[in-house]
Amino acid sequence: MTAQTVPQDVVAAAPVARRDRHIGALLPAIVIAGLAVLPIAIVVAIALTGSGEDWPHLVRNVLPGATATTLALLAMVAAGTATIGVACAWLVIAYDFPLRRLLAWALVLPLAVPPYLAAYAFGEFFLFTGPIQTALRALFGFQSARDYWFPDIRSTTGTAIVLSSVLFPYVYLTVRVVFLMQGRNIADVARTLGAAPARVFFRILLPVARPAIIAGCALVLMETLNDIGAAEYLGADTLTIAVFTTWLNRGSLEGAAQISTVMLFLVLALLYAERVARRNQRFHGARATHMKARPPRVQLRGARKWFATMAVLFPVLSGFGIPTYVFCGYAARRLDQLADPALQQAFVTSVFTAGCTALVTVAIALVLVNATRLSRTVAVGAVARLAASGYALPGTVLALGLLFALTRLDNAVDAFARTHLGVSTGLLLSGTAAAVIIACSVRFLALAEGAIRSGLEKLPPHLDEAARSLGHTPAASARKVLFPLLKPALATAAVLVFVDTMKELSATILLRPFGFSTLATHVYENASRGVVEDGAVAALLIILTALVPVVLLSRALMRDADATM
């Protein structure tokens, strides 16, 4: 059919259809992005429009110390996780030693341990009554703590050690992919040219892995800023702790908002630093090669192979072994707690909250992914990225802004109902579990969106377009064609959000209504009273729940490694 024979109404309808599809995709993304950014806007507005009465006190007595502690903690955690993650990734990829395959899988296990649980376990393990100091006194005959010196785990340095022990897998996972794709080939070429192993690693491999290291460290630092349980228990007075104490202990919402604004600037600085550091650092992955063409791993022998085994085993024992040992020991003597109504209620509440959050978050993520798929414009893509930016927000900042917004909304609805209906609605959102569900949905939207997008990218690019060419509407083609094929990705997204909500503490303790207790807050309350052992069963339930996606991730890593070797 020539251009002259095309009906004019079809020609005119084409741009209109594209424009309608663009608007239909953009509007939901804008609404979701607006809801995600609303807490940030509210926190900044409270900080800027307040009376400023607390600001001089904060500047003199709170911010200098809290900022210095936070920056020192971030620096130590970044250095610790980068060192552990890079070293372990290179050892399991480049060398062969006893237990290598098992340890390559086990290095992901610390992700199943939330930082606050690790802090409680490390505190019990390394304190005066713990097994290490007890063995030390028995070995050398010491009678009291005055007879010897032992490093104090309750310090900023101790907090950094704890956080590094459980967060290093973020760096390990990102760097391992780079080394798996191209590291061994590059190193093999460099060694054939006469370069020493140390020179190959520091002059070639580290620059190649720099973008991955920075990406992993960025995730680690976001988790460090979000932490409240470990820092509070181990005595590190960070900005997050300052927000918590200023809001709840001093009763100053304005002061908490001002500290939160400082944290937001710190988050923006971290994101900007990551972008600058990764600029012009683009490396292409190596093409898949036949397993016989890949350079073999270096077979370590003698003492070196056992040194490599212990070097990789130590992070696993620290990040996963110590918490499991401590909580299993306590839980074995408290199995009767399984019949405790308080623990049972906390478990039911955790499962209900996490399940609702998973459903809501996956549904919102589907809307975002579908919007970007239908439109494929810069505007929709930018709005979708903005909507998924909640993962970068510390839970305390998110909770602060969200609580104010929900309270204002509840008050407005209540005033309207009193005026026009003669009834009081009370607190519909801010005084219920809905506040926690909304906060976790905003915070973990990026996880669900990323999992669903990854699943969508594995499908043929024009699959839904073919369905629409057969007469299906975009909604019908998505429902009948895409969604059934995306079931594995949807399940993965739901599991990730479910587990992270089960572990979430910082936003939950600030937003939960009276009498609302999850497994995380149950453990936190016992630790705050100095009886960590009474929360051991709840802690193990959290770890066992978190093990599910970690095991699935580890199995996927092993399959990928076998496919590329």
Side-chain angles (χ1 to χ4, degrees), residues 170-397:
Y170 286 112
V171 180
Y172 166 74
L173 290 172
T174 56
V175 174
R176 187 179 189 272
V177 172
V178 175
F179 286 162
L180 189 63
M181 293 176 62
Q182 54 187 204
R184 284 176 56 202
N185 283 330
I186 295 176
D188 188 66
V189 172
R191 283 194 296 266
T192 61
L193 297 177
R199 184 178 179 87
V200 171
F201 184 79
F202 288 104
R203 297 295 299 273
I204 298 176
L205 295 176
L206 281 185
V208 166
R210 188 204 291 184
I213 297 172
I214 294 171
C217 284
L219 292 174
V220 167
L221 296 182
M222 295 303 172
E223 290 294 326
T224 302
L225 278 176
N226 180 63
D227 171 71
I228 189 172
E232 182 184 28
Y233 186 74
L234 298 178
D237 295 327
T238 61
L239 288 171
T240 304
I241 301 300
V243 172
F244 182 74
T245 56
T246 301
W247 182 5
L248 297 185
N249 296 348
R250 291 176 52 86
S252 175
L253 179 64
E254 177 186 330
Q258 290 166 345
I259 301 175
S260 298
T261 304
V262 176
M263 292 183 66
L264 287 175
F265 279 114
L266 187 56
V267 169
L268 292 176
L270 289 174
L271 295 175
Y272 178 75
E274 180 202 10
R275 182 177 295 272
V276 171
R278 296 177 67 181
R279 185 178 299 166
N280 298 326
Q281 293 289 329
R282 299 292 186 267
F283 299 94
H284 296 286
R287 294 176 179 268
T289 56
H290 191 270
M291 58 179 298
K292 293 183 179 180
R294 297 295 300 265
R297 290 188 180 88
V298 177
Q299 181 69 47
L300 297 179
R301 302 184 184 280
R304 297 175 64 189
K305 69 179 182 181
W306 297 113
F307 175 80
T309 300
M310 294 305 301
V312 179
L313 178 63
F314 183 76
V316 179
L317 294 178
S318 298
F320 185 76
I322 290 178
T324 304
Y325 169 80
V326 170
F327 290 124
C328 282
Y330 285 147
R333 299 190 294 270
R334 289 168 174 80
L335 293 179
D336 58 305
Q337 289 186 351
L338 292 173
D340 183 10
L343 180 61
Q344 293 176 353
Q345 182 60 43
F347 178 77
V348 172
T349 302
S350 296
V351 172
F352 172 78
T353 304
C356 292
T357 302
L359 292 176
V360 171
T361 308
V362 169
I364 295 174
L366 274 173
V367 174
L368 284 179
V369 172
N370 193 52
T372 55
R373 179 184 60 85
L374 289 177
S375 179
R376 295 193 179 95
T377 62
V378 176
V380 175
V383 172
R385 287 192 298 271
L386 182 63
S389 63
Y391 194 73
L393 293 179
T396 49
V397 178

Side-chain angles (χ1 to χ4, degrees), residues 4 52 57 65 67 88 97 156 179 192 239 261 272 289 324 356 359 363 366 379 393 413 434 443 449 493 496 500 526:
Q4 289 78 9
H57 167 76
T67 304
C88 290
F97 49 88
T156 302
F179 286 162
T192 61
L239 288 171
T261 304
Y272 178 75
T289 56
T324 304
C356 292
L359 292 176
L366 274 173
L393 293 179
V413 173
R443 176 156 165 71
E449 193 266 350
L496 291 175
D500 271 24
N526 283 285

